[in-house]
Amino acid sequence: MPYRAPVKDIRFILDHVVGFAEVAATPRFSEATPDLAEAILTEAGRISTDILAPLNKGADHTPARLENGAVVSSPGFAEGYRAIADGGWVGMAASPAHGGMGLPISLALGVDDMMSGACLALQLKPLLSKGQIEALEHHASDAIKALYLPRLTSGEWSGTMNLTEPQAGSDVGALRTKAVPNGDGTFAISGQKIFITWGDSDLTPNVCHLVLARLPDAAEGTRGISLFMVPKFIPDAHGKLGDRNSLRVVSLEHKLGIHGSPTCVMQFDGAKGWLVGAPHKGMAAMFTMMNNARLSVAAQGVGVAEAALQHALAYAMDRRQGATPVAGQGTIIDHADVRRMLAAMRAEVFAARSIALSCAVAIDMASATGNADWQARAAFLTPIAKAYGTDTACSVAHQGVQIHGGMGFIEETGAAQFLRDARILPIYEGTNGIQAMDLVARKMADGGEAAFRLIDEVERGAEAARSARPDLAGDVWSAAEALREATEALVAMPLNDRFAGAVPYLRAFSLVLGGAAHLKAMQADPGREALARVMIRRLLPEHGALLAQAKEGAAGLYAVGADDLAA
C-alpha cells in the first residue's frame, strides 16, 4: 500500500494531547496559529506522500554508491531533496536571522515524522543539517554563522557530524583525530572517522563536516576535545567555493538497511578547519547537535513504525487465509491474533508519537519562557522519546513481517525493508541502553524531581478522567504510583545498580506516559476508547514486571560468569 502521511493523527496529538496551544500562546511562537499549523502539516504530508514515499523502495534496491571517490545518490533523490530544500523544510525551526522560519520544534518534528515514514534514507540528510544548524547557532563565531548558516538553512549546503572512530564509539573520549594550529587561525585536521551519515553527496555542492579532534595541548578524555568546521570545499567570505579540502571518502559501509543513505568512512589529511566554540569545549557544542538529533531520531522511529503499520494493515485487509471466526472483511484481519498485533502496533505508534511531541513542546516552552521546569522536562523526556520511539519502530516492523507470514520474509512484498531500515535507529545518537543509563543517572541527579513532576501530572490526568472511565483511569493511576515507588527506589541505589535496571525502567516509564496519552485522547474523542483500552489493559500491565527488573540491582548479573554464558 502506498504510504499516506498521518497529518490528522499528528494534528490531533498537538491539539488534544500535548498542549501545542500553550506554545502558540507565547510571544515567541505567536505566528504558529492553528491555520498555519494546518497548512504546514498538510503541505509536508503532501510532499511526503506524493514525492518522497515513491523513492523509498527504489533506493533500497539501488543504493548510494562510491564512484571515483564521490558518492552517487539513489535514483530520484536529487528531485526529492530539492523538494525538501526548496520548500524551506530544512530551516523550519532555524532562526529567521539566517533565513529560517523560526517555527516551533513541535511542528518541525511532525514534519520529520512524516518525511521519515516516507523515505528514511533521504530524510537523514536534512536531519543532520538541522542538528548542525542548532549547534552553530549556539556555539559558533559570528563569522562562521554568517558564512554557513544561511546556506545550511536553505539546504544549499548540507551538514554532518563526525564523532566515531574505529577505536572510539560510545567512548568518544578515546578519539585520536588531531587538530594542529596553522598559525593563521585555522587548524589542520588529521584522522579517520567512521559511520558518517551522508558524509558525501552529489545533492549539494558543499558538505560541511563538524569534526571532533584534539589540540596539541589537550587533556585526555572528553575534556580535551574540541570541535571544528571542516568543509568539503573551502568557501571565501562570500560563500563562493574554492579549493577542495584535504578530506575524502575511503569507503561506504555495507549496511543492513537504509541503503539509499551513504554511510561513509572519512579520512582527513591535514584538512583545513575552523574552531567552533572554545578550545577543549567541543563536547558541549556537539551535544547540542546530538540532543537535537536524538529527538529527531525518535520521530524517525515513529515515522518508520507508521509506514510499517500501514503496509501490514493493507496486507491484512486483503489477504484471505482460513475461515475467519467473526463476520467482517473475510480476510486475516478478522483473526483475533492478527487483530491483536495490529491494535498493539497502532496503540504504541500513538503513544510513541505523543511522547516525542510532548518532548518537543517542552523544548519549545523552555526556549520561549526560559523556565527551568520546562528545561528539566525536555531533558528528562529526550532519552525516553528516543529509546521508546526507536524500539517501537523495530517492534512494529517486526510484527509487520509476522502479519505477512512467509510473504513477509520475501523482499518483494516490502515488509522486510521497514525492519531492516528501523534496526539502526536504536543504535543512532547513543544506543538505547545509553539513553536509559542517562535517564537514571544524569536526568535523576535532581533526586528524581523531574520524574516525580511527570508522575504527578499523569496521576492528575487519571483523576480527571476517573468520573468518566474509572476502570481505565484507575489502571493508569495505579501504574503511575508503582512507577513513583520504583523511582524512589532507584534514586536510593548505587549508580551501577540503577544501570542494571535502566532499560526496563525506561520502558515502564514509556508505557505509563503512553497510557496517559491514550487516556487524554479518549477524553477528547470518545471514538478513541478502543485503542486506549488496548494500550491500558493489554500493554500497560507490562510495567509491573519491568519495574521488578528495574529494582533488582546489578549483583545478580555479575554472578553470571563467563563460563555460564559460554555453556
Side-chain angles (χ1 to χ4, degrees):
M1 180 188 93
Y3 170 82
R4 290 193 310 154
V7 175
K8 182 178 177 182
D9 205 44
I10 292 170
R11 184 67 194 272
F12 178 87
I13 292 171
L14 288 172
D15 290 346
H16 300 291
V17 178
V18 301
F20 179 71
E22 195 170 358
V23 174
T26 65
R28 175 164 181 173
F29 297 119
S30 59
E31 293 184 2
T33 62
D35 287 346
L36 181 65
E38 178 71 24
I40 285 173
L41 293 174
T42 299
E43 178 61 11
R46 182 194 69 79
I47 291 172
S48 299
T49 301
D50 297 342
I51 299 176
L52 304 184
L55 304 175
N56 196 44
K57 190 169 184 178
D60 188 53
H61 294 297
T62 310
R65 65 188 189 276
L66 191 63
E67 288 187 359
N68 300 319
V71 166
V72 178
S73 299
S74 297
F77 270 26
E79 294 77 11
Y81 181 74
R82 288 267 50 94
I84 295 171
D86 292 348
W89 302 107
V90 180
M92 269 189 71
S95 170
H98 299 288
M101 298 184 192
L103 290 170
I105 287 176
S106 313
L107 286 179
L109 199 75
V111 173
D112 284 345
D113 179 335
M114 292 186 284
M115 292 188 175
S116 301
C119 187
L120 177 62
L122 179 56
Q123 190 271 341
L124 277 160
K125 185 174 176 65
L127 179 146
L128 270 300
S129 295
K130 292 176 186 180
Q132 188 173 110
I133 289 166
E134 184 167 359
L136 295 180
E137 284 180 344
H138 283 85
H139 301 282
S141 67
D142 289 343
I144 288 178
K145 288 179 183 179
L147 180 57
Y148 287 90
L149 282 177
R151 294 163 180 85
L152 289 166
T153 299
S154 69
E156 178 187 351
W157 296 352
S158 61
T160 74
M161 59 178 173
N162 289 243
L163 292 80
T164 306
E165 299 179 7
Q167 79 293 339
S170 300
D171 182 14
V172 180
L175 69 82
R176 297 172 185 160
T177 299
K178 297 178 180 180
V180 178
N182 288 323
D184 60 357
T186 67
F187 298 81
I189 312 299
S190 298
Q192 189 175 97
K193 300 289 184 177
I194 63 172
F195 303 154
I196 309 307
T197 301
W198 281 98
D200 190 46
S201 171
D202 57 356
L203 305 184
T204 54
N206 208 11
V207 180
C208 309
H209 301 284
L210 281 183
V211 183
L212 290 178
R214 290 188 188 282
L215 292 166
D217 60 345
E220 294 297 318
T222 56
R223 288 185 295 177
I225 296 174
S226 300
L227 184 65
F228 300 87
M229 169 60 76
V230 187
K232 177 180 177 181
F233 289 97
I234 299 172
D236 66 17
H238 305 289
K240 182 179 179 181
L241 299 182
D243 293 339
R244 178 167 181 140
N245 216 339
S246 301
L247 57 89
R248 61 191 174 91
V249 181
V250 176
S251 63
L252 300 186
E253 307 287 6
H254 301 284
K255 307 190 300 289
L256 177 68
I258 54 167
H259 295 149
S261 171
T263 304
C264 303
V265 176
M266 299 296 303
Q267 182 69 37
F268 299 87
D269 295 311
K272 184 174 286 190
W274 286 259
L275 186 66
V276 175
H280 315 308
K281 301 295 183 183
M283 286 305 295
M286 187 58 85
F287 265 116
T288 299
M289 186 172 183
M290 287 182 68
N291 279 327
N292 177 292
R294 281 170 178 168
L295 184 55
S296 295
V297 171
Q300 289 182 327
V302 176
V304 174
E306 175 71 44
L309 169 56
Q310 290 186 21
H311 199 77
L313 176 61
Y315 184 81
M317 294 285 286
D318 183 68
R319 174 70 167 167
R320 296 180 181 274
Q321 193 76 185
T324 57
V326 295
Q329 300 291 323
T331 61
I332 62 171
I333 196 172
D334 293 327
H335 291 290
D337 186 58
V338 174
R339 189 69 64 101
R340 173 191 63 82
M341 287 188 282
L342 288 166
M345 291 157 74
R346 174 53 69 195
E348 290 218 78
V349 169
F350 183 89
R353 181 173 282 137
S354 297
I355 292 170
L357 289 172
S358 181
C359 184
V361 164
I363 293 172
D364 287 330
M365 291 302 296
S367 64
T369 67
N371 182 280
D373 285 350
W374 280 115
Q375 292 169 352
R377 179 189 179 95
F380 192 86
L381 283 173
T382 295
I384 296 175
K386 191 273 176 178
Y388 185 58
T390 57
D391 282 345
T392 296
C394 291
S395 65
V396 168
H398 166 79
Q399 295 285 24
V401 172
Q402 191 71 13
I403 287 168
H404 280 76
M407 297 303 293
F409 205 65
I410 305 301
E411 287 289 351
E412 284 77 6
T413 64
Q417 183 186 347
F418 298 115
L419 183 56
R420 290 186 286 101
D421 286 355
R423 192 57 192 86
I424 186 57
L425 299 177
I427 299 171
Y428 270 159
E429 309 308 331
T431 66
N432 285 357
I434 289 174
Q435 303 302 315
M437 289 189 288
D438 176 52
L439 180 69
V440 302
R442 194 174 310 170
K443 302 305 165 56
M444 286 189 182
D446 60 358
E449 287 186 16
F452 293 133
R453 280 196 294 269
L454 273 169
I455 293 168
D456 290 342
E457 181 182 313
V458 171
E459 291 187 352
R460 287 195 300 270
E463 289 291 355
R466 208 180 272 275
S467 60
R469 290 313 310 257
D471 53 343
L472 299 181
D475 287 347
V476 172
W477 191 94
S478 296
E481 193 61 18
L483 183 60
R484 181 190 304 278
E485 294 171 1
T487 303
E488 291 169 347
L490 258 66
V491 168
M493 285 181 179
L495 203 54
N496 202 42
D497 285 331
R498 293 191 212 177
F499 289 163
V503 167
Y505 176 78
L506 185 149
R507 178 161 175 80
F509 216 123
S510 303
L511 293 175
V512 171
L513 293 176
H518 274 278
L519 195 62
K520 187 178 285 190
M522 183 186 72
Q523 290 175 274
D525 177 5
R528 291 178 176 263
E529 180 182 338
L531 275 177
R533 182 171 288 277
V534 169
M535 184 74 202
I536 294 169
R537 302 308 295 271
R538 293 179 180 271
L539 302 179
L540 180 58
E542 294 177 24
H543 81 277
L546 291 165
L547 294 177
Q549 294 179 59
K551 294 183 287 186
E552 185 64 17
L557 298 177
Y558 289 102
V560 180
D563 290 343
D564 298 312
L565 296 172

